[in-house]
Amino acid sequence: MSKTIIVSNRLPLQLSIDEGVVSSSPSVGGLATGMKSVHRDSNGLWIGWTGLTQEETPQELESEIHKAVADQQCAAVELTQSDLDGFYYGFSNRTIWPLFHYFMEYVEFDNDNWEIYKSVNCKFAQVVLENIEDGDNVWVHDYQLMLLPQMIKEQRPDVSIGFFLHIPFPSFEVFRTLPWREEILKGLLGSDLLGFHTYDYERHFLRSVSRILGYEVSFNDITYKDRMIKVDSFPMGIDYDKFHAFAKANQEQTNKTQSELQRRLDMHATASPDAKMILSIDRLDYTKGIANRLKAFEHFLEKYPEYTEKVRLVMLAVPSRSNVPQYQVLKKEIDELVGRINGKFSTVSWTPVWYFYRSMPFNNLIDLYTSCDVALITPIRDGMNLVAKEYIATRTDQTGVLILSEMAGAAKEMNEALLINPNNIDLIADTIKVALEMPEEEQKKRNKYMQSRLKRYNVEKWASDFMVKLHAVEGNRSVVKAKHINEKRQDEILQRFKNAKKRMFFLDYDGTLRGFVNNPGDAKPDAQLLEMVSKLQADDKSEVVIISGRDSVTLGEWFKDVPVTLIAEHGVLKKIYGADWELTETMNTDWVPTIQPVLQTFVDRTPGTFIEEKKYSLAWHYRKADPELGEKRANELSSVIRELTSNHGLSVLSGNKVLEIKSSNVHKGKAANNHILNQKYDFIFCIGDDWTDEFMFQDLPEEAVTVKVGVANTAARYYVDDTDQVRDLLNIFLS
């Protein structure tokens, strides 16, 4: 039975060792809850680190620990303290975390940490590969494991892999500063489905793929080698029913069953019935905007002194990464701000800020959620922020006001909250006043919509939607691979070749025999390629035609010593070996003076583009241009040229990062068919990479072996991944 393998940095379990006896218990909440249906309810396996380094693990208890982990349907990745320091505390938290949250001043680019990050991802890959069986899916989670998808895909290309990033993906301008940007992107592109919390993060990722790697991006699809990768947004939810049920139970407690915290909160409410409580809950992190929040509350008390003794900020800061210098500085700043506010505004009977620096058990969180009138959640940058959702879920009477940073991913779903810019202190202060004075009717109206949405799209629905999409991608992938030249199809083609008495090869050049380069003049064939083509032509039964969009001078110079037929400029000119170039059709170039100035205008407006003048056509190249601007200008230019040439018998050919204007009565398909006219070939092989080659795929006889280079909609019968595989394929005919 196939299963889903979930991979995350930490396993969803708690290990305890008591007098030599190892026991484990499952974690609750968060990701563990959302993945329950994928993990426990469907025979899944969760792979991650136990929380114990190898140095902390007693050797005599290793087998016991592995058994305890296995009892929770998990498998452990063993890490040393050195691994943890470089991989987690180092690269993950001192490079990726601040960079992806736009805190460039805290980013450390340390090559040693990068090497450890790679090696630890490799350790995770080894454990995953040991546990993969045919038909399994893999779902990788978060920024600590961004190289893992590619490592798995390289060894098991048949396995469907999903990846979800739980933090923001930064804009291209920020991400490009990472020295290992290409490696990170390629690592992620080992996935078949990439998920983000919001469309903004998805868009940032796609832009980085396009601009850094230069891969083709169409809407939310990425073409990468022989694969189509889907990218989509899946806003993570919470276990709504759990929070709502616990909140209801909290309301029904008696004085005896209440927690000490709840009793104190109730005493405060009874003593000051008109006073309001504002809740702030966060992990102590520089991304959470806690300092700005305190400054805004201080400004609120200064600006609206009438709220003295009528409002209190209840602030819970959960300790985090206390060994990291930036967090130590932040802790000191928060302590000083709290002290300053309390010292400045306190009265004998009132302290404006209740400050807790600790973690709290779940029931105390419910106490705070249900007792506070306003939640003030103001992160500078946050992937999602589930605290905002948890607060709304616990408001059983639908009262309460949520003030939420527009920089949190949750803001995309929670438009009814009071959205603020977390850097605007004055705005936050004013919004606190709006929240405190909001009528109950308005509160209920807003919270009703948010609760309905959160209940419907909960954490289980999030996980389910992702898995449904992953299975759909798997189905689409199998359709595409139906035409891929695998070993079996290669053998069938080779057998047809061997049985044939008269063979014809039509070979495109750029993007097929030779990879693309920024400067077209640098794409000269290497000695190995020239030798391969010569050997193919040397067989008495075979004839080779190089059919290209290249100009005749360049093509003739490059293949002057190779005894093959050359067809240049998409079929306009033809040269039999040993003879001169000849026109295949009567050509008119009267249009060139009209069109060339138009192309020049686009060159002037689009840095990195240039015009290539051929005898009977003009080409506008944009490979070196900014990818997004290049595509935009190409679409614009194509429309302009088509309008200008609609009555002049011209066509616009869209190649790989090039637009070519030429006579519409000549194309590669017509040239290829004319070449084989009145001759009987029992094996015709044609290969090309862009849509100018589609004319050949469509026009050649049905029995021809037509091959597309790369994955795309095509009339060809087969496809190969790239130019390297083109050479491998052609070499089988020489064996």
Side-chain angles (χ1 to χ4, degrees), residues 591-592 595-596 599 611-613 617-620 659-661:
W591 53 270
V592 171
I595 300 299
Q596 190 161 14
L599 297 186
I611 301 169
E612 181 186 5
E613 297 181 35
S617 66
L618 292 173
W620 181 75
L659 285 182
E660 186 156 350
I661 300 94

Side-chain angles (χ1 to χ4, degrees), residues 419-467:
L419 300 181
I420 53 89
N421 182 328
N423 300 300
N424 190 332
I425 303 298
D426 198 51
L427 173 64
I428 299 173
D430 290 344
T431 306
I432 291 173
K433 185 174 186 292
V434 171
L436 293 172
E437 296 176 355
M438 184 180 290
E440 270 198 15
E441 185 181 350
E442 178 69 14
Q443 295 176 30
K444 291 180 178 181
K445 180 181 176 183
R446 290 169 178 261
N447 291 339
K448 178 183 177 182
Y449 286 121
M450 287 191 281
Q451 285 186 348
S452 174
R453 198 177 300 122
L454 295 178
K455 182 178 176 64
R456 185 174 65 253
Y457 201 89
N458 59 22
V459 69
E460 288 195 353
K461 181 73 164 60
W462 165 80
S464 171
D465 279 4
F466 188 93
M467 289 306 300

Side-chain angles (χ1 to χ4, degrees), residues 402-609:
L402 173 63
I403 301 174
L404 180 61
S405 166
E406 61 191 22
M407 303 299 180
K412 304 296 182 186
E413 302 170 78
M414 307 179 80
N415 292 318
E416 294 82 7
L418 299 179
L419 300 181
I420 53 89
N421 182 328
N423 300 300
N424 190 332
I425 303 298
D426 198 51
L427 173 64
I428 299 173
D430 290 344
T431 306
I432 291 173
K433 185 174 186 292
V434 171
L436 293 172
E437 296 176 355
M438 184 180 290
E440 270 198 15
E441 185 181 350
E442 178 69 14
Q443 295 176 30
K444 291 180 178 181
K445 180 181 176 183
R446 290 169 178 261
N447 291 339
K448 178 183 177 182
Y449 286 121
M450 287 191 281
Q451 285 186 348
S452 174
R453 198 177 300 122
L454 295 178
K455 182 178 176 64
R456 185 174 65 253
Y457 201 89
N458 59 22
V459 69
E460 288 195 353
K461 181 73 164 60
W462 165 80
S464 171
D465 279 4
F466 188 93
M467 289 306 300
V468 167
K469 188 83 171 190
L470 183 58
H471 290 309
V473 170
E474 180 182 8
N476 292 340
R477 187 185 61 178
S478 63
V479 171
V480 172
K481 286 207 167 187
K483 295 192 297 183
H484 189 255
I485 295 188
N486 53 25
E487 191 174 344
K488 180 183 176 184
R489 294 191 180 100
Q490 186 171 287
D491 289 343
E492 291 171 355
I493 293 169
L494 180 59
Q495 194 57 50
R496 285 187 56 190
F497 169 83
K498 289 180 177 179
N499 294 339
K501 296 179 180 177
K502 191 172 184 181
R503 312 165 184 137
M504 169 58 66
F505 288 87
F506 289 108
L507 309 179
D508 174 48
Y509 187 74
D510 291 288
T512 303
L513 294 178
R514 182 71 162 81
F516 288 106
V517 293
N518 284 335
N519 185 349
D522 294 337
K524 187 177 180 181
D526 55 71
Q528 185 183 32
L529 174 59
L530 293 173
E531 182 183 4
M532 180 183 68
V533 174
S534 297
K535 285 183 178 179
L536 203 57
Q537 176 65 54
D539 189 324
D540 292 339
K541 296 180 181 179
S542 299
E543 180 185 349
V544 177
V545 175
I546 306 293
I547 184 165
S548 170
R550 285 273 175 181
D551 66 275
S552 58
V553 175
T554 302
L555 203 63
E557 177 62 26
W558 285 351
F559 288 92
K560 63 183 178 183
D561 298 322
V562 183
V564 295
T565 297
L566 303 175
I567 297 179
E569 298 193 24
H570 301 290
V572 173
L573 292 157
K574 178 177 174 180
K575 182 181 185 298
I576 307 295
Y577 183 69
D580 294 329
W581 286 98
E582 294 181 356
L583 279 170
T584 59
E585 301 270 349
T586 302
M587 301 298 294
N588 180 0
T589 58
D590 294 346
W591 53 270
V592 171
T594 303
I595 300 299
Q596 190 161 14
V598 178
L599 297 186
Q600 189 59 55
T601 300
F602 276 78
V603 169
D604 295 339
R605 293 171 57 209
T606 318
T609 64

Side-chain angles (χ1 to χ4, degrees), residues 124-139:
F124 274 83
Q126 288 169 359
V127 177
V128 173
L129 292 168
E130 287 167 5
N131 288 278
I132 282 183
E133 297 172 325
D134 291 345
D136 287 351
N137 298 308
V138 179
W139 188 356

Side-chain angles (χ1 to χ4, degrees), residues 236-448:
M236 187 177 181
I238 60 170
D239 187 349
Y240 180 90
D241 290 339
K242 174 185 174 182
F243 280 91
H244 198 72
F246 269 87
K248 275 192 170 181
N250 179 277
Q251 305 294 327
E252 296 166 1
Q253 287 184 326
T254 64
N255 191 55
K256 289 184 178 180
T257 58
Q258 284 180 332
S259 68
E260 178 62 25
L261 176 62
Q262 186 63 62
R263 279 195 290 272
R264 293 297 182 109
L265 291 168
D266 287 350
M267 283 173 58
H268 169 76
T270 303
S272 307
D274 296 330
K276 299 288 182 75
M277 286 192 288
I278 301 172
L279 178 63
S280 165
I281 296 182
D282 275 305
R283 192 168 53 79
L284 189 73
D285 192 285
Y286 50 74
T287 66
K288 301 300 183 181
I290 301 173
N292 277 4
R293 196 174 311 168
L294 283 166
K295 291 173 186 175
F297 184 64
E298 179 182 30
H299 182 54
F300 166 78
L301 293 175
E302 290 173 339
K303 190 172 183 179
Y304 303 106
E306 65 269 26
Y307 277 95
T308 298
E309 296 191 343
K310 292 184 178 180
V311 67
R312 175 174 280 121
L313 178 63
V314 182
M315 193 172 81
L316 173 62
V318 180
S320 172
R321 302 169 188 164
S322 54
N323 60 333
V324 178
Q326 292 95 329
Y327 289 77
Q328 294 167 356
V329 172
L330 177 63
K331 169 68 165 57
K332 184 172 182 291
E333 182 185 11
I334 300 302
D335 290 349
E336 290 175 353
L337 281 168
V338 171
R340 186 175 83 196
I341 294 169
N342 284 340
K344 189 175 181 180
F345 296 100
S346 289
T347 65
V348 173
S349 58
W350 175 68
T351 305
V353 181
W354 280 353
Y355 175 40
F356 303 91
Y357 178 64
R358 69 190 78 156
S359 57
M360 281 191 178
F362 182 75
N363 64 311
N364 284 160
L365 293 179
I366 298 297
D367 293 338
L368 292 174
Y369 284 147
T370 55
S371 300
C372 292
D373 306 280
V374 176
L376 185 60
I377 313 294
T378 61
I380 304 297
R381 190 75 61 168
D382 207 338
M384 176 51 66
N385 195 292
L386 300 180
V387 170
K389 296 185 175 185
E390 291 167 3
Y391 175 75
I392 293 299
T394 58
R395 308 305 296 180
T396 54
D397 63 355
Q398 295 185 337
T399 62
V401 182
L402 173 63
I403 301 174
L404 180 61
S405 166
E406 61 191 22
M407 303 299 180
K412 304 296 182 186
E413 302 170 78
M414 307 179 80
N415 292 318
E416 294 82 7
L418 299 179
L419 300 181
I420 53 89
N421 182 328
N423 300 300
N424 190 332
I425 303 298
D426 198 51
L427 173 64
I428 299 173
D430 290 344
T431 306
I432 291 173
K433 185 174 186 292
V434 171
L436 293 172
E437 296 176 355
M438 184 180 290
E440 270 198 15
E441 185 181 350
E442 178 69 14
Q443 295 176 30
K444 291 180 178 181
K445 180 181 176 183
R446 290 169 178 261
N447 291 339
K448 178 183 177 182

